[in-house]
Amino acid sequence: QVQLVESGGGLVQPGGSLRLSCATAGLIFRGSDMSWYRQVPGKQRELVAEITSGGTTRYGDSVKGRFTISRDNVARVMYLQMNNLQPEDTAVYLCNARGAQYGRSYINSYWGQGTQVTVSS
């Protein structure tokens, strides 16, 4: 069974920083493409950043230059460093993995439960 657990969210003032983590279990992490999405009630889920199994990164236009995605293949954890946070970054941030579960040969998409990020003064 694959598990994705996000952590690191919270309340921060505009201009502040947070570092999110996505810890994984049961997933062939090294071979998986990993992403961060965010969800605001009433709006479509938005891709924040992704990092492929090979380390290639891509960012949503609204976070370029402020957020950095990274991964630790040994610890099987993905990170999102968020700097210069603004109120419009307020959302639930979700971890997504596209990869294979240990013992399985097919690729699937997995989601974590999310962590709330609130940017407010």
Side-chain angles (χ1 to χ4, degrees):
Q1 184 178 359
V2 173
Q3 290 184 318
L4 307 178
V5 180
E6 301 95 335
S7 62
L11 174 64
V12 64
Q13 292 186 340
S17 298
L18 284 174
R19 188 194 196 202
L20 305 184
S21 299
C22 172
T24 71
L27 178 73
I28 303 176
F29 185 84
R30 186 178 297 272
S32 299
D33 295 337
M34 303 294 297
S35 303
W36 286 100
Y37 285 77
R38 63 188 182 188
Q39 180 81 61
V40 176
K43 293 188 176 181
Q44 191 171 3
R45 188 169 290 183
E46 175 190 9
L47 174 67
V48 175
E50 67 177 8
I51 182 166
T52 68
S53 58
T56 300
T57 58
R58 182 165 70 99
Y59 297 90
D61 288 340
S62 62
V63 306
K64 283 180 182 177
R66 299 188 297 126
F67 291 10
T68 302
I69 190 171
S70 61
R71 63 190 293 159
D72 183 335
N73 287 339
V74 175
R76 302 174 187 173
V77 179
M78 174 179 65
Y79 302 99
L80 185 68
Q81 177 66 44
M82 306 186 295
N83 298 328
N84 191 23
L85 283 160
Q86 300 300 316
E88 52 266 33
D89 296 316
T90 296
V92 174
Y93 284 71
L94 301 115
C95 171
N96 174 262
R98 295 182 302 281
Q101 180 179 347
Y102 277 110
R104 306 288 174 88
S105 59
Y106 55 86
I107 303 298
N108 208 344
S109 180
Y110 303 95
W111 291 92
Q113 293 298 309
T115 184
Q116 176 70 46
V117 171
T118 302
V119 185
S120 175
S121 55

